């Protein structure tokens, strides 16, 4: 057996791996778009803590008052003021999770591997018969 015949499967495996990597690298970039969170400042004084607690209490009171006002207005309207679809109706916005990119890259890699296998088997058969 010559040296050329023993290196052919290795060469084919390397080329197939490079082609599959070229298809899968863009798919992995979809996961790298998330930003890493930055740590916040943890050195807060007691005055800062008190001010923050007062602010939270004031915000909570303001929200409760707004809810009471809104409920009173809804009772006056008699339920005729319904939201008109979309986010105002409580519908969640769609999320872009790049699933299509991942599925497309995986499908392309499988098609490439299948085509490579078909070509190799055809060449081997032609060489044996030929």
């Amino acid at each position: 057996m010559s040296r050329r015949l023993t290196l052919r499967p290795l060469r084919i495996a390397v080329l197939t791996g490079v082609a599959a990597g070229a298809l899968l690298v863009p798919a992995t970039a979809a996961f790298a778009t998330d930003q890493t969170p930055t740590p916040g400042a943890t050195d807060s004084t007691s005055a800062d803590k008190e001010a923050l607690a007062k602010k939270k209490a004031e915000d909570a009171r303001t929200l409760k008052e707004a809810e009471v006002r809104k409920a009173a207005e809804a009772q006056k309207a008699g339920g005729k003021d319904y939201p008109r679809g979309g986010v105002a109706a409580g519908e969640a916005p769609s999320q872009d999770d790049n699933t299509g990119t991942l599925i497309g890259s995986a499908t392309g890699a499988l098609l490439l591997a299948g085509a490579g296998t078909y070509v190799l088997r055809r060449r081997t058969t032609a060489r044996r018969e030929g």
Side-chain angles (χ1 to χ4, degrees):
M1 188 181 275
S2 71
R3 179 171 169 82
R4 181 176 174 163
L5 289 178
T6 59
L7 290 179
R8 180 168 281 151
L10 178 64
R11 186 177 356 150
I12 291 169
V14 168
L15 289 176
T16 304
V18 168
L23 285 173
L24 294 176
V25 166
T28 58
F31 294 113
T33 58
D34 295 338
Q35 296 179 356
T36 57
T38 56
T42 57
D43 299 340
S44 57
T45 63
S46 61
D48 291 339
K49 289 179 184 178
E50 289 175 11
L52 184 61
K54 286 181 184 178
K55 176 79 169 138
K56 284 183 180 180
E58 184 180 321
D59 289 344
R61 190 174 355 108
T62 306
L63 284 174
K64 284 182 183 180
E65 290 173 1
E67 288 176 11
V68 169
R69 257 188 268 123
K70 199 174 199 181
E73 289 175 9
Q75 285 179 351
K76 287 179 185 176
K80 294 180 182 178
D81 190 27
Y82 295 116
R84 295 186 181 190
V87 177
E91 198 173 300
S94 64
Q95 296 176 354
D96 184 20
D97 58 357
N98 297 321
T99 304
T101 305
L102 295 173
I103 292 172
S105 295
T107 304
L110 289 174
L111 287 173
L112 182 65
T117 303
Y118 177 74
V119 168
L120 289 176
R121 291 186 68 171
R122 190 168 179 190
R123 283 183 184 173
T124 304
T125 303
R127 197 172 294 134
R128 285 182 188 160
E129 293 176 357

